[in-house]
Amino acid sequence: MSYTFLRSAILVLLSSAGLCRGAGIITVDFLRGATGESVTFTTSVKPAAEPFLALTWSFNGTTNIITSAGADVVGQGYENRISLDKSTGSLVLRNLTEKDSGEYELIIIPQGAEQIQGTAKLEVLTKVSRPTIACPTENLIEGKTSVKLTCDADGSVSTRVWMKDGKPLVSGDRFSFHDGNRVLSISPVNRTDTGEFLCNVSNYFSFETARCRLQVYYGPDQPTIVQTPVGAELEESVSLSCSADSLPKATFFWKFRHMKFYGPFHYIHEMEERHLGMYTCTAHNAITGLEASEMHILRDSSTTISVSMSMMVCIVLTSVGLMLV
Ligand SMILES: *[C@@H]1O[C@H](CO)[C@@H](O)[C@H](O)[C@H]1NC(C)=O
Ligand SMILES: *[C@@H]1O[C@H](CO)[C@@H](O)[C@H](O)[C@H]1NC(C)=O
Ligand SMILES: *[C@@H]1O[C@H](CO)[C@@H](O)[C@H](O)[C@H]1NC(C)=O
Ligand SMILES: *[C@@H]1O[C@H](CO)[C@@H](O)[C@H](O)[C@H]1NC(C)=O
């Protein structure tokens, strides 16, 4: 007996009994199942005293799962995978595959009562695997390098979220997402991107995370020069120190007239006239290849003060002179 035949037979039975299609209980359920596991389609049918005349479960409107009218006809691919409770019509479907996703319909013809019909939708999801992120291995340089992080996972990935520092990333000036969030593109990288990026993939049944650490090289930023003491006089010692934010740490050199001194500090034990003038500090980052410079003028603070003092005296005298006139 073919399924089509049975189905037609049931429909004939229905029409001859004068029952309208859709009479009886109609339930629409939404079920989820995981690949390899099982799902139960439970009906709200009370077990009948007499066995049903006929009962049929079908998939996607065309495929017979089981039709039971006296004898059972089990559809291909459902042998050993189903258990039917003939008193309620409830069906257990085992060893699910993604191909089982779709619509399920149950039609029951009871003895001397109206047809009972029910439908259910099933979604079968394969648990997601631990994702992998293709993490860049080259040196990342602020403002120069662009990176693409790709997060791949097997299974039915329903959601894919990128996170950094405990917060989900959103697209913006430098961040963009492609291929359903599979690819995170950062263009260009910034020092603020240094840290751990997380890619979370999940579906209803499972959740997995992958990590990728980025280190962004930057700088040197504009150096800062500090003179100690701020006001130094001739014959006193004075030191100049130069610093600049940089990753990796910058190396420094000083230029004064035609001389070059290496290192962040320049120390003068006893300041003389010949030490006075313009010093230039240059910071260099070996990975970014960038340099940044700053200037500083070393003065004799006693003359600086006396110059301003004499100017003041001048002004006072001029004012006094003006008043006298
Ligand atoms: C479950 O289904 C898979 C693929 O359809 C098959 O290889 C496997 O033997 C089945 N397992 C059981 C326990 O029926
Ligand atoms: C069953 O129907 C659903 C839509 O309801 C469709 O997505 C799915 O591919 C169909 N499955 C088969 C095996 O035909
Ligand atoms: C890095 O990001 C900060 C803050 O968003 C921004 O001010 C700065 O200009 C960026 N640096 C580069 C080199 O793009
Ligand atoms: C992503 O995964 C991490 C670690 O497993 C978790 O702390 C975080 O809350 C998850 N984020 C989202 C949006 O699911």
Side-chain angles (χ1 to χ4, degrees), residues 257-275:
R257 295 185 187 154
H258 56 276
M259 288 172 278
K260 206 169 174 185
F261 314 105
Y262 292 90
F265 306 108
H266 182 59
Y267 181 73
I268 299 165
H269 184 62
E270 221 169 281
M271 191 164 81
E272 295 172 25
E273 288 279 353
R274 62 183 175 94
H275 293 127

Side-chain angles (χ1 to χ4, degrees), residues 1 72 78 94 102 126 137 183 198 201 260 289 300 305 316 324:
M1 247 189 306
D72 291 348
Y78 293 99
R94 291 183 297 272
T126 304
T137 49
V183 180
L198 261 60
V201 295
K260 206 169 174 185
D300 171 11
I305 291 167
V316 169
L324 287 176

Side-chain angles (χ1 to χ4, degrees), residues 22-33:
I25 302 160
I26 299 177
T27 54
V28 180
D29 280 327
F30 181 71
L31 298 169
R32 283 194 185 91

Side-chain angles (χ1 to χ4, degrees), residues 210-253:
R211 290 153 205 276
C212 165
R213 243 203 107 70
L214 294 189
Q215 182 161 55
V216 177
Y217 296 108
Y218 64 89
D221 288 349
Q222 187 64 29
T224 313
I225 298 173
V226 175
Q227 177 186 323
T228 323
V230 177
E233 297 183 9
L234 292 181
E235 288 168 30
E236 285 181 353
S237 68
V238 64
S239 76
L240 300 176
S241 91
C242 186
S243 62
D245 198 3
S246 174
L247 188 76
K249 280 206 174 80
T251 55
F252 298 88
F253 63 85

Side-chain angles (χ1 to χ4, degrees), residues 227 230-236 271 273 276 299-310:
Q227 177 186 323
V230 177
E233 297 183 9
L234 292 181
E235 288 168 30
E236 285 181 353
M271 191 164 81
E273 288 279 353
L276 305 181
R299 301 171 209 276
D300 171 11
S301 62
S302 60
T303 58
T304 318
I305 291 167
S306 59
V307 164
S308 48
M309 290 249 293
S310 51

Side-chain angles (χ1 to χ4, degrees), residues 141-144 173-174 188-193 218:
I141 296 172
E142 181 180 58
K144 262 193 205 164
D173 292 348
R174 297 184 300 104
V189 292
N190 188 292
R191 66 188 72 181
T192 52
D193 300 333
Y218 64 89

